[in-house]
Amino acid sequence: MIVTVKIVETYTKYEEVEIEDTGKLDEAYEDVDEMVKTNKILLPSIDKKSEYNLSIKLV
């Protein structure tokens, strides 16, 4: 029997960062993206302190 299995890995973390308040949401996202690119914010999958959840479901 062949079945399809859906596997979802979820890494979650919250980090407070300071960005300039320009009133433009797009600029805030760009600032955060730059912080991720330059490793000022580590991705949750890399950061050992992140919450991890694994979900497996037959579909």
Side-chain angles (χ1 to χ4, degrees):
M1 170 170 63
I2 298 176
V3 297
T4 301
V5 178
K6 177 181 178 182
I7 302 171
V8 177
E9 288 186 299
T10 305
Y11 296 88
T12 304
K13 82 177 215 178
Y14 299 91
E15 190 160 334
E16 290 186 11
V17 295
E18 187 172 343
I19 58 173
E20 185 179 348
D21 185 1
T22 63
K24 297 179 181 178
L25 193 56
D26 288 347
E27 289 181 12
Y29 278 110
E30 288 173 9
D31 289 347
V32 171
D33 284 344
E34 185 63 28
M35 289 178 181
V36 171
K37 287 178 187 174
T38 59
N39 290 325
K40 292 180 181 171
I41 298 176
L42 292 178
L43 294 176
S45 59
I46 296 171
D47 190 347
K48 302 290 185 204
K49 297 179 284 184
S50 300
E51 284 184 35
Y52 174 76
N53 184 23
L54 175 66
S55 172
I56 298 175
K57 179 180 182 180
L58 294 176
V59 291

